[in-house]
Amino acid sequence: MDRKPQNRYINALTDYGFKKIFGDKEIMIAFLTDLLLPKTPIEDVIFLDKELGGVSEYDRGVVYDLLCKTIDGNEFIVEMQNRSQIHFSDRIIFYLSRSFSDQEEKGNSDWDFQLKPVYGIFFLNFHLRGFKPLTLRTVQLKVDETGELFTDKLKVFTLELPDYRKMREEDCKSKIDYWLYNITNLETMTTNVPFQSEQPIFSKVGNIAELVHMTAEERQKYNVSIDSYRTNLSVMKNERLEGRMEATLANALSLKLNGVPVDVIAKSLGLTEEEIEQL
């Protein structure tokens, strides 16, 4: 009997896998360069403490996946989200607001409120609820009447991954496509990470992500992370199924109240007559 081949690479969508890959300075700089297309090269990034405390002892602190800063002071919140949340867009604003308020020069009465840019970069293992599905969404503050940019200090990117599971390598056309395809599908790859000729950094991504290079302690941490990842996927699947069932039952009740025969409703919606009778 053929054995199922063992995975070659870690799952980059897990907490451990994501931080292991993007916690590498060279990889982070390459990714930020391909995403932002800066006018001048990003020479260096500094990884910061990922936890910001509240303003007072009663305020809620925030913990990021990765928080880094360039040498010119631009700050980047980089997160991987596997489970959709009702108020996720509000959470993004909360996160960025904390980073801005942390720039206050406390005790300096001459501080003139000049801020350094803060960028929120969110990898989403789902499509953002309430919005048209996009693989890359860029959000900034603009003037409604003129479309003018109000400030270039705040910028949010949502990178939505679901579509990359159905894509082939040849479907990828941009550098961001290369990144998102590789991050989404890394765990199932059995050959070298693709697109190395277009972006040589993917060779390092592959080296870092290979399971054979992990120590026993790293493997233990990864196993915990993969269990959490699978639990989140299971919860999301159940939530989707429950949502579909609620919609089906609502449709069945509407048809029943409008006099449609129970047997017709059952055949149309895939329910039992008993389920419909109980409505």
Side-chain angles (χ1 to χ4, degrees):
M1 184 174 67
D2 293 337
R3 290 185 178 180
K4 182 180 179 182
Q6 292 186 334
N7 292 344
R8 177 176 176 179
Y9 300 108
I10 59 177
N11 185 323
L13 307 184
T14 62
D15 182 68
Y16 180 89
F18 184 79
K19 292 175 182 176
K20 186 173 180 65
I21 292 171
F22 286 100
D24 179 87
K25 182 178 293 191
E26 187 180 2
I27 292 174
M28 179 64 85
I29 290 175
F31 167 70
L32 292 177
T33 298
D34 287 345
L35 177 66
L36 303 175
L37 303 175
K39 295 179 180 178
T40 57
I42 299 175
E43 297 179 5
D44 194 14
V45 295
I46 303 166
F47 288 95
L48 306 175
D49 186 346
K50 294 175 290 185
E51 182 170 1
L52 289 179
V55 176
S56 73
E57 62 179 311
Y58 304 105
D59 290 334
R60 180 177 179 177
V62 296
V63 181
Y64 308 126
D65 283 345
L66 291 166
L67 180 63
C68 63
K69 181 182 291 187
T70 59
I71 56 177
D72 54 358
N74 297 344
E75 194 166 291
F76 299 88
I77 299 166
V78 185
E79 285 222 335
M80 176 69 227
Q81 295 290 328
N82 279 305
R83 188 175 174 187
S84 179
Q85 300 176 12
I86 297 175
H87 303 296
F88 186 70
S89 57
D90 290 348
R91 181 183 175 188
I92 290 175
I93 298 301
F94 178 77
Y95 273 21
L96 270 65
S97 297
R98 275 296 173 86
S99 287
F100 280 122
S101 64
D102 199 52
Q103 294 183 32
E104 178 188 359
E105 297 179 9
K106 297 178 175 63
N108 180 7
S109 58
D110 294 327
W111 183 58
D112 60 1
F113 293 92
Q114 185 175 13
L115 298 169
K116 293 289 187 180
V118 176
Y119 298 84
I121 301 170
F122 298 88
F123 291 77
L124 308 180
N125 201 8
F126 52 87
H127 284 303
L128 196 60
R129 186 181 301 182
F131 294 88
K132 179 182 178 181
L134 293 173
T135 55
L136 170 61
R137 186 188 320 276
T138 307
V139 182
Q140 290 183 277
L141 290 176
K142 293 187 177 182
V143 180
D144 279 347
E145 290 78 7
T146 63
E148 295 170 289
L149 185 64
F150 185 72
T151 177
D152 62 353
K153 301 295 178 67
L154 181 154
K155 202 166 188 177
V156 173
F157 300 89
T158 63
L159 308 169
E160 301 177 17
L161 306 179
D163 292 344
Y164 287 92
R165 287 191 180 84
K166 300 172 286 187
M167 289 174 64
R168 301 166 299 173
E169 290 181 29
E170 54 266 34
D171 296 327
C172 298
K173 306 301 182 185
S174 68
K175 290 183 176 180
I176 290 303
D177 281 341
Y178 303 154
W179 281 99
L180 301 188
Y181 178 89
N182 283 340
I183 293 304
T184 303
N185 299 294
L186 187 62
E187 184 186 29
T188 61
M189 294 178 183
T190 56
T191 58
N192 291 336
V193 176
F195 311 120
Q196 291 186 28
S197 59
E198 293 85 358
Q199 179 53 291
I201 194 64
F202 289 130
S203 174
K204 186 171 188 180
V205 170
N207 289 334
I208 287 178
E210 280 198 290
L211 291 166
V212 295
H213 294 155
M214 296 174 70
T215 65
E217 182 181 359
E218 289 174 330
R219 190 59 183 258
Q220 184 178 18
K221 291 179 180 178
Y222 174 63
N223 288 338
V224 172
S225 188
I226 199 75
D227 286 344
S228 176
Y229 169 77
R230 288 168 179 162
T231 298
N232 273 328
L233 291 188
S234 177
V235 170
M236 282 198 300
K237 182 178 180 180
N238 289 335
E239 287 175 345
R240 287 195 296 267
L241 290 174
E242 289 173 1
R244 292 193 192 107
M245 179 55 73
E246 288 178 2
T248 299
L249 292 174
N251 288 335
L253 178 59
S254 177
L255 293 171
K256 182 180 179 182
L257 293 175
N258 281 282
V260 178
V262 169
D263 62 326
V264 174
I265 300 174
K267 290 179 181 179
S268 300
L269 299 180
L271 299 171
T272 66
E273 293 187 15
E274 290 75 15
E275 287 175 320
I276 299 169
E277 294 289 359
Q278 293 174 5
L279 295 175

